[in-house]
Amino acid sequence: QLQLVESGGGLVQPGGSLRLSCAASGFTMDGYAIGWFRQAPGKEREGISCIATTTNSTNSIQSVKGRFTISRDNAKNTIYLQMNSLKPEDTGLYYCAAYVNDYPYCSRRLQEYDYWGQGTQVTVSS
């Protein structure tokens, strides 16, 4: 059973930090692209950051560059999203997702992804 489970969300004040985790089971991450997506209230789901596990090449949207970092731990079969300097507009339901990818780069296009977690809520508010 191929499964992704997110954790680490919560309520944080503006300027604070959170680290999200995505634990994979039923497959190993190597040979996949892993992405983080978020869906803000009243908005459509958007790709935030991804990593190509064959090369560790990453691709992030401009609004999170310098604040968010995606990484992986092969031994734990887990990817992380370290989020610093959080802003209210970062609020949303965060998902991790995966697709088979031997290419050295990853895509943030939602349509590329075949496997999805259930999401973890991030709320940034004072």
Side-chain angles (χ1 to χ4, degrees), residues 11 19 31 36 56 67 75 96 102 115:
L11 175 64
R19 188 182 73 164
W36 283 99
N56 287 336
R67 299 190 299 122
C96 65
D102 292 326
Y115 311 106

Side-chain angles (χ1 to χ4, degrees), residues 31-99:
Y32 287 78
I34 311 295
W36 283 99
F37 295 77
R38 71 185 174 198
Q39 189 162 15
K43 302 293 185 180
E44 295 190 348
R45 195 172 302 180
E46 64 175 347
I48 302 302
S49 185
C50 66
I51 182 168
T53 58
T54 56
T55 60
N56 287 336
S57 176
T58 61
N59 179 12
S60 299
I61 59 173
Q62 183 64 36
S63 63
V64 308
K65 288 183 177 178
R67 299 190 299 122
F68 292 8
T69 302
I70 188 171
S71 62
R72 65 168 178 162
D73 186 329
N74 283 341
K76 297 181 179 179
N77 212 33
T78 299
I79 64 165
Y80 303 96
L81 186 67
Q82 178 66 48
M83 305 186 295
N84 299 324
S85 301
L86 283 162
K87 304 174 180 179
E89 52 262 44
D90 295 317
T91 293
L93 188 62
Y94 282 69
Y95 300 87
C96 65
Y99 70 94

Side-chain angles (χ1 to χ4, degrees), residues 20-43:
L20 306 184
S21 299
C22 176
S25 63
F27 73 108
T28 57
M29 295 185 300
D30 193 43
Y32 287 78
I34 311 295
W36 283 99
F37 295 77
R38 71 185 174 198
Q39 189 162 15
K43 302 293 185 180

Side-chain angles (χ1 to χ4, degrees), residues 1-18:
Q1 179 70 30
L2 199 160
Q3 188 175 18
L4 299 169
V5 179
E6 303 96 335
S7 62
L11 175 64
V12 64
Q13 293 184 336
S17 297
L18 286 172

